[in-house]
Amino acid sequence: MCGIAGIWDFNNGTSGDLLAKEVNDMAKNIKSRGPDSSGCWIDEKIGIALSHRRLAIQDLSKNGNQPFLSQSGRYVIVFNGEIYNHKLLRKDLSKYSTGNFFWKGNSDTETLLACIETWGLNSALDRFAGMFSFALWDRKKRSIYLVRDRFGEKPLYYGLKKFNNRSRKSFLFASDLSAFRALKNYQININQAAFESFINQGFISAPLTIEDDINQLSPGHYLEINYENIERLEFRSINPIKWWDPLKISQNRSELNLNNDDFAIKEVNNSLLRSVEEKKISDVPIGVFLSSGIDSSLICSLLMHSSKEPINSFTISFPDNNQGEVGFDEGPAAKLIASYLGTNHNEVALSSSDLIKLIPSLSSIYTEPFADSSQIPTYLVCREASKNGLKVVLSGDGADELFGGYNRHYLIPKIHKIFKNLPYSVRSLVSSLLINLPNKNIGLSQQKIQKLSKSILHADNLESIYNSLTCGSNDTSYLLNEEFTNCSQQKKEILPYASSIAERIMLADVQNYLHSDILVKTDRASMATGLEVRAPFLDHRVAELAWELPLSMKIRNRKTKWILKKILSNYLPNSLINNQKKGFAIPINNWLRGPLKDWACDLLSDSTIKRQGYLNSEIVSKNLTSHLSGEKDNSSRLWTLLIWQSWLSDIEL
């Protein structure tokens, strides 16, 4: 796992020394993504420089260092990620070679380049099983290619910037926005559509970034910039090409007979087992995150099944739960599962104060505004695993989106079916009755009740229901300063086509929530701690099999992830499977009235908001006051606003 950075200066007169300094400065700003070694490659005549920071996982020798030149010398690459099937690809390459291949080492980077030289970029991409983003310089065509993996596990940013000390623009790319901010005279201009995306969702949807003229490369895309076209190059004219489309693939049904329960269970089990076995490849210590949930328990079970020696499982526990301070402590249940499977289990107890201490430094870990509060325990899990000697861990990310794991996957179809034909006045009455019920009567938090009541209110429109359950609000313009209320709202994605409403929701989650929230959270937290996280569920062959399954094998009798639970029952007794996963739901609402009150009041003060100029200070003040008094639970909205204000303060616009 690594960090990459590059700059293509279109002036053609920039010295090699200056290019080297600039690209190395960029790489230093993402050092945490690759603390083990660094390197750069420069073509002074063309004005291009590539830099790399390495977290050594495979082939720990210098043979794995980057930038890496292909055997013919045609290609130069800086690569971030893992190609899990690279050993099999080497065997395939031997069938196509004329006996002239000479492998320098055992790194997957060398394999990746050999595949591209042999089969071409598009054909090679189809063969890769992995997570990756990379920049490939073709010296023959004088083109730079930026490429991102199918699900967006690894980030890649790019843009065109004009600097005061140059007459022309420069093309920039990197694994993190912080790399660009190392450049002299670099200025940050807020992208208004991204700002609204963040305030509405708590994260920024790709391809947007918080900065104008900087985009994320979307998952399953690549772009090409050619030397012959740079005179005419404009940011808006850069059009990435989609090389992998989950919508098309999900609609192509094979001839497998997956309507038979036993056959389907066997097929999914074998596919996941193959994925886990491939993701074990490593020359450094490897382990697994283990909670009491279905996803991590299944990955841990499969990893133990395919390993000759006990593997390291890792759980963070939060015993403050006994005092009602922290709402998740999966330590005891995880310990029972680890004991049954026979793992080398590690449990580290953290207190609520450990979490609270981290909050002011979040914007240095997540260099764009990011307000999923589970980012806090996620970072701490990664930090503690790294402290305990792990360098690679397996996780359960992706299972919910592929196998129907979220409540909304069965709630939205039910809400739409029951309430869609009722008059708005009736839906409004039901919504009001629900929101006024005492929380204890229905077992839901106030915020969940608010979201559920909004979804009923908008039951005649699927997109509105989806937004009600996944976003803080369908319209957040009232929170913004006047100059932003008239800017165009980000267009909401139409729910993709599928054979059922539930499957449309799952695909919508894959297209946005998975890569722009879940994977951002995991990648930034792990990279900040020198840890690589691998997700067996996000093997594209597992995903393609999941899309083949009928809905009844994902959601059955209102139970989510039915088929995964059936597979897990082959490895664990039911008494360990039926534990209710608590999740990473931290009590921000209480903390904002207690230990975080001064921090919140400072960031959301009238003077601070008016100075920064993005939010409506009067409305924000009302939200803060009603929350502090206990009148309302505005914690979700306030947390998003606090992360925004904290990020603004740190970058000092």
Side-chain angles (χ1 to χ4, degrees), residues 41 96 108 123 152 184 229 242 297 317 337 344 347 388 413 426 443 513 567 581 601:
W41 178 91
Y96 289 85
D108 54 346
S123 181
K184 186 178 180 181
N229 299 324
K242 183 178 287 187
S297 296
S317 66
I337 293 169
N344 293 326
E347 181 179 323
N388 280 263
V426 176
Y513 181 68
I567 295 171
K581 189 180 189 303
C601 290

Side-chain angles (χ1 to χ4, degrees), residues 8 31 63 128 192 262 266 304 346 538 595 608:
W8 190 352
K31 183 179 178 180
N63 290 328
F128 295 152
Q192 293 186 2
D262 291 338
K266 182 179 178 181
M304 278 294 294
N346 301 273
L538 293 181
T608 301

Side-chain angles (χ1 to χ4, degrees), residues 252-296:
N252 293 330
R253 302 284 181 174
S254 72
E255 297 180 359
L256 285 173
N257 181 24
L258 293 179
N259 288 308
N260 178 278
D261 285 358
D262 291 338
F263 179 75
I265 290 168
K266 182 179 178 181
E267 287 293 305
V268 175
N269 178 86
N270 290 342
S271 183
L272 280 170
L273 187 58
R274 177 185 62 181
S275 179
V276 167
E277 287 175 341
E278 283 187 350
K279 285 160 189 63
K280 289 194 306 183
I281 59 169
S282 174
D283 295 326
V284 296
I286 186 170
V288 61
F289 286 146
L290 177 61
S291 69
S292 60
I294 299 299
D295 312 333
S296 65

Side-chain angles (χ1 to χ4, degrees), residues 38-321:
S38 63
C40 71
W41 178 91
I42 298 170
D43 186 329
E44 186 172 355
K45 183 177 179 181
I46 295 293
I48 193 166
L50 310 178
S51 187
H52 187 264
R53 299 288 320 193
R54 186 183 184 200
L55 175 65
I57 301 295
Q58 294 188 56
D59 191 347
L60 307 185
S61 74
K62 63 181 180 181
N63 290 328
N65 288 346
Q66 301 182 45
F68 206 103
L69 273 68
S70 66
Q71 192 170 123
S72 70
R74 175 177 174 176
Y75 297 105
V76 186
I77 196 170
V78 282
F79 166 66
N80 171 25
E82 301 288 349
I83 305 298
Y84 301 121
N85 63 335
H86 90 96
K87 291 183 179 180
L88 291 175
L89 289 172
R90 287 197 176 195
K91 291 181 180 180
D92 290 342
L93 285 167
S94 66
K95 301 174 185 177
Y96 289 85
S97 71
T98 58
N100 296 323
F101 262 122
F102 174 74
W103 298 107
K104 291 172 55 180
N106 299 309
S107 76
D108 54 346
T109 308
E110 187 177 9
T111 309
L112 180 150
L113 269 180
C115 290
I116 293 172
E117 280 208 309
T118 303
W119 297 312
L121 178 61
N122 282 284
S123 181
L125 286 172
D126 288 339
R127 297 168 188 254
F128 295 152
M131 57 176 179
F132 50 83
S133 64
F134 61 84
L136 178 75
W137 173 245
D138 185 337
R139 301 168 83 176
K140 181 179 179 180
K141 289 182 64 177
R142 297 200 292 185
S143 287
I144 187 81
Y145 296 89
L146 302 186
V147 185
R148 194 174 182 196
D149 64 55
R150 295 172 177 86
F151 289 102
E153 291 184 75
K154 293 292 105 183
L156 189 53
Y157 296 86
Y158 68 90
L160 278 177
K161 282 288 186 177
K162 175 72 166 59
F163 296 95
N164 294 335
N165 59 337
R166 294 175 186 169
S167 59
R168 295 163 67 182
K169 293 180 179 179
S170 295
F171 181 68
L172 311 172
F173 55 89
S175 297
D176 194 270
L177 288 175
S178 60
F180 304 145
R181 296 166 191 165
L183 295 171
K184 186 178 180 181
N185 298 317
Y186 185 85
Q187 293 184 338
I188 297 174
N189 298 309
I190 300 297
N191 182 300
Q192 293 186 2
F195 172 48
E196 289 189 72
S197 173
F198 171 73
I199 295 298
N200 188 41
Q201 303 176 117
F203 59 88
I204 296 170
S205 297
L208 293 175
T209 76
I210 197 58
E211 299 187 29
D212 273 335
D213 297 329
I214 299 290
N215 268 0
Q216 301 179 59
L217 187 62
S218 292
H221 283 70
Y222 73 82
L223 64 81
E224 176 187 4
I225 306 293
N226 183 265
Y227 182 76
E228 305 302 326
N229 299 324
I230 61 174
E231 291 282 353
R232 302 181 299 276
L233 187 65
E234 296 292 337
F235 181 70
R236 297 185 185 280
S237 69
I238 299 175
N239 295 309
I241 298 167
K242 183 178 287 187
W243 66 269
W244 192 77
D245 188 347
L247 297 186
K248 288 183 179 179
I249 293 171
S250 67
Q251 293 165 14
N252 293 330
R253 302 284 181 174
S254 72
E255 297 180 359
L256 285 173
N257 181 24
L258 293 179
N259 288 308
N260 178 278
D261 285 358
D262 291 338
F263 179 75
I265 290 168
K266 182 179 178 181
E267 287 293 305
V268 175
N269 178 86
N270 290 342
S271 183
L272 280 170
L273 187 58
R274 177 185 62 181
S275 179
V276 167
E277 287 175 341
E278 283 187 350
K279 285 160 189 63
K280 289 194 306 183
I281 59 169
S282 174
D283 295 326
V284 296
I286 186 170
V288 61
F289 286 146
L290 177 61
S291 69
S292 60
I294 299 299
D295 312 333
S296 65
S297 296
L298 181 52
I299 296 303
C300 185
S301 298
L302 293 169
L303 188 56
M304 278 294 294
H305 179 78
S306 64
S307 300
K308 295 180 180 179
E309 301 291 335
I311 54 98
N312 296 306
S313 59
F314 197 89
T315 299
I316 282 189
S317 66
F318 297 89
D320 280 359
N321 185 43

